[in-house]
Each structure stands twice: as structure tokens, then as C-alpha cells.
Amino acid sequence: MKKILLTALIALLGIGCVKPNDDTPTPQPEESGKRYVKAIEFCGLNPETNELTSYEEFIEFDYDSKNRIVEIRGVEYDGAKVADLYTKINFNYNDDNNTLNIKANFDGETIVIDCELNERGAVETATYNMEDMTDITENFVYNDRGELTTYSMVYSGVILISLEYEWKDGNIVRISTPYEDEEYNSYAEFTYTTEENPYNVDLFYSYHSVMPLLCECILIHDGLLGNTNRSLLASYKECYYDEVYEESISHKFNSRGLVDYSMIDETDCMRYILL
């Protein structure tokens, strides 16, 4: 299901062709503070002409008065018309008791999750109450700085998976899956740009394949899993059973020092549209 969302990050209406400038400088943003993303648009890059062409596919975000994401929509457009609303995720906060209810629909499949939040607004437990997931609970532990340090998925009292997160300079640099039998251990290592992430959303959780189940609903989170990474993801390496997979991510900046779009391979990219 994570792949459904990843091929979904989506929002805004047809942008046609845009010609980027490869020599654009990457200065620091003109003003400090987070910029809020209203949509991420999927585009294709023609390497011969260096042109971006919209796929007319978006992820759209709605916010509440506290700037929390309250709805995410994965949308395909046909011109100005909606051709397919294939993902819709609603976040209902109860500030009186620090709880959050998530209802997500992926191509007709519905997931309902009840979450308990800590004082920072990050998820501590996520309980799945659907018919086929009645005994699944996810637990998240954070350090005093608000960084996610450990995660576990529990089914009927048994820990199915656990993850450990290593941070450096405000970024997650390593995720490991420790097992008693080292043969099954896996890990992922990450590098980042020198520029800080200027946006409220963090694409990091799109890339590592071993992630909390909750990340299928908050793939691009803005604090629901504690601190976002300080900088932009530049590369990652995953190791499973002695097999290693590596990939690089590049970012194109505009003259204001903000990220215009991020390349996820040689021809596909995600373009940021701000509020």
C-alpha cells in the first residue's frame, strides 16, 4: 500500500510545460520559518529538452487553524476535471484528550486508526480497529528533543517488528532492524543536503521500505512522528540479507532559495506548490 501512496503524492491543476534552469543558485531562503505546502505535483523531465511536463497527478493538503494537516487527497486530473480521487485521508484531532482518529481510503479500501498523542502532538500509539487488524498496535518512542528513536509493531502481545533510529545534526542517518538472529538484520543509511528543508512536509518516509504501518497514512508527515528531518534527503542505501540497494535524490532550487522540485529518478520528479 505504501507504493500506492508513493505513486500518489499529488495537487494543483495542470501546469503544462515548464523549463527549469539547471544553473539556478541555491541560496538560503529569503525568510526564515516553514513554508506550508498545499500540493505536490508529479511531473516528468525530458532530459533532452530539460522541460518539465505535468502528469496532472497531485497530492493535495488541507490544514486547520493550527496549521495541522487535516486532509490529504491523491488526485488525477483530466484538464480541470477530477479523473480519479484514489486516496483520501482524514485526520480528526481531539485536543481535549490528545487523541487523533485517522480514516484513510485507498482505491476503495478503508483503514481506521485510533492514535494517542504526546504533549508535542506526536503519535505514541496507533491502534488498528478494522475487522482484519483488531489486534495490531504500533508504539513510538521519542527522545527529549522530539526525535523518534524506537518503533515496534505488536500483534496479540507479540512484537512482529522493531526499528531503531539514529539521528545526527537533526537528521535520521540510520534505521536498523535488530533481530536475535543476525542473519535477518537489515539497515538503511541516509545522507542529506547542506540546505535545510524549507517546507513543513518531509519526504523521507517515502523512501525506506521497512517503515511503520502508520506511514502508509502519513507518508509525508509534518510532526505526527516527532521531528521532521532538518535537511533534504540526498541519498539512501538499504541492506537486506547481504543485498544492497542505493539511490540518489536531487533537488532543484529557485532564485528565492526554495526547492522547486525533487527528482526521484532520472525522469520523474515532484514539484512543490505553496499556500
Side-chain angles (χ1 to χ4, degrees):
M1 191 182 303
K2 187 178 277 90
K3 300 305 179 187
I4 295 175
L5 262 182
L6 181 54
T7 43
L9 289 173
I10 312 177
L12 195 67
L13 286 91
I15 287 217
C17 293
V18 181
K19 192 163 187 176
N21 180 4
D22 276 345
D23 298 324
T24 299
T26 58
Q28 289 299 310
E30 298 168 353
E31 300 174 1
S32 60
K34 290 291 183 184
R35 273 72 170 180
Y36 288 87
V37 177
K38 71 176 181 180
I40 297 176
E41 176 190 17
F42 279 92
C43 299
L45 176 68
N46 186 326
E48 295 182 358
T49 63
N50 201 33
E51 288 184 339
L52 286 181
T53 302
S54 175
Y55 291 154
E56 295 194 81
E57 185 177 347
F58 300 83
I59 284 199
E60 302 173 340
F61 304 94
D62 289 341
Y63 297 86
D64 65 11
S65 60
K66 296 183 178 180
N67 289 328
R68 298 177 298 193
I69 293 176
V70 293
E71 185 169 287
I72 300 174
R73 294 178 301 278
V75 190
E76 291 181 3
Y77 286 98
D78 180 6
K81 296 181 179 180
V82 174
D84 186 16
L85 176 61
Y86 56 85
T87 298
K88 186 176 180 181
I89 306 170
N90 292 103
F91 302 85
N92 297 305
Y93 298 87
N94 187 330
D95 294 330
D96 292 335
N97 56 14
N98 269 13
T99 59
L100 165 67
N101 175 266
I102 299 174
K103 185 175 182 180
N105 185 282
F106 305 99
D107 286 325
E109 179 182 355
T110 300
I111 298 176
V112 179
I113 311 161
D114 292 319
C115 302
E116 295 182 7
L117 309 180
N118 64 18
E119 66 280 358
R120 296 173 183 257
V123 176
E124 288 190 325
T125 63
T127 302
Y128 294 76
N129 53 20
M130 294 92 69
E131 183 177 344
D132 56 345
M133 288 187 178
T134 54
D135 293 323
I136 290 181
T137 299
E138 295 184 291
N139 301 304
F140 302 83
V141 179
Y142 307 88
N143 60 23
D144 292 339
R145 294 184 296 276
E147 299 167 341
L148 178 63
T149 57
T150 59
Y151 156 82
S152 62
M153 176 191 289
V154 180
Y155 176 70
S156 296
V158 178
I159 296 178
L160 296 183
I161 187 173
S162 62
L163 302 176
E164 296 179 355
Y165 298 80
E166 180 182 338
W167 292 73
K168 183 178 180 181
D169 298 329
N171 295 313
I172 296 173
V173 294
R174 182 181 174 93
I175 300 177
S176 57
T177 308
Y179 292 100
E180 291 184 5
D181 188 342
E182 293 187 1
E183 178 183 354
Y184 297 101
N185 286 351
S186 64
Y187 69 88
E189 295 178 337
F190 307 88
T191 65
Y192 297 83
T193 64
T194 56
E195 298 88 3
E196 294 188 10
N197 178 13
Y199 302 135
N200 65 308
V201 297
D202 183 357
L203 298 181
F204 167 81
Y205 286 88
S206 305
Y207 291 96
H208 185 32
S209 59
V210 179
M211 280 288 179
L213 184 62
L214 190 61
C215 288
E216 297 184 2
C217 293
I218 53 174
L219 180 64
I220 311 171
H221 81 83
D222 65 342
L224 284 175
L225 293 181
N227 294 0
T228 54
N229 287 292
R230 180 181 63 85
S231 304
L232 297 158
L233 186 64
S235 71
Y236 66 98
K237 177 174 70 174
E238 298 185 69
C239 178
Y240 296 101
Y241 312 116
D242 296 326
E243 290 199 10
V244 176
Y245 176 75
E246 299 183 68
E247 186 164 336
S248 297
I249 300 96
S250 60
H251 307 276
K252 299 296 182 181
F253 292 79
N254 60 30
S255 59
R256 297 173 57 203
L258 299 176
V259 185
D260 187 14
Y261 61 91
S262 298
M263 299 295 303
I264 53 179
D265 59 31
E266 293 182 356
T267 58
D268 294 322
C269 65
M270 294 177 290
R271 184 179 180 89
Y272 301 85
I273 298 104
L274 301 182
L275 286 175

